């Protein structure tokens, strides 16, 4: 179980670290080709979402790695499940109805929650 957690959580953390960093440092015009929904959100909200993703990615890795407050890994994974539920809602209410990636990320985060509670 421990190896499975590190594989799934590591991949999830890499994805969210990358996506969050893009949201924090890139302009709306640079984000638009990848994320059509950014035009419907205020830029500070997009930046805050990026910061939350970076913090969540950190929460998946650092607590289990250091052994300090390992429950934070479960909390971060639950946060990603909720984040993706919101992302699916945003996609479905807009013109971009592609939610396959969001569904996959939701499933990966749910598996991470389960794996984090097994050790």
């Amino acid at each position: 179980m421990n190896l499975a957690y590190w594989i799934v959580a590591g991949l999830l953390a890499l994805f969210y670290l990358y996506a969050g960093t893009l949201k924090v440092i890139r302009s709306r015009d640079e984000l638009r080709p990848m994320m059509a929904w950014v035009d419907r959100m205020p830029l500070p909200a997009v930046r805050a979402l990026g910061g939350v993703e970076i913090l969540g990615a950190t929460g998946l890795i650092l607590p289990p790695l250091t052994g300090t407050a390992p429950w934070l890994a479960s909390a971060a994974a639950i946060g990603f499940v909720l984040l993706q539920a919101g992302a699916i809602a945003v996609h479905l209410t807009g013109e971009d109805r592609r939610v396959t990636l969001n569904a996959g990320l939701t499933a990966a985060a749910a598996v991470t929650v389960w794996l984090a509670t097994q050790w």
Side-chain angles (χ1 to χ4, degrees), residues 15-28 30-31 34-35 38 43 46-47 50-51 53-54:
F15 175 84
Y16 280 112
L17 186 63
Y18 174 72
T21 302
L22 290 181
K23 289 175 185 121
V24 168
I25 65 172
R26 288 199 174 172
S27 70
R28 188 182 304 272
E30 292 172 321
L31 290 172
M34 295 177 289
M35 304 169 197
V38 296
L43 192 58
V46 175
R47 301 262 191 252
E53 290 176 347
I54 292 169

Side-chain angles (χ1 to χ4, degrees), residues 6-7 9 18-19 21-22 24 31-32 42-43 46-47 52 62-63 69 74 79-80 85 87 91 111 117:
W6 285 111
I7 291 170
Y18 174 72
T21 302
L22 290 181
V24 168
L31 290 172
R32 191 175 297 116
L43 192 58
V46 175
R47 301 262 191 252
V52 166
L62 283 184
S74 296
F80 283 138
H91 282 279
V111 167
T117 60

Side-chain angles (χ1 to χ4, degrees), residues 66-98:
T66 62
T68 305
W71 60 270
L72 285 174
S74 296
I78 290 168
F80 283 138
V81 170
L82 297 174
L83 178 99
Q84 286 306 316
I88 289 171
V90 167
H91 282 279
L92 291 177
T93 59
E95 297 172 7
D96 179 23
R97 298 193 181 270
R98 295 174 291 174

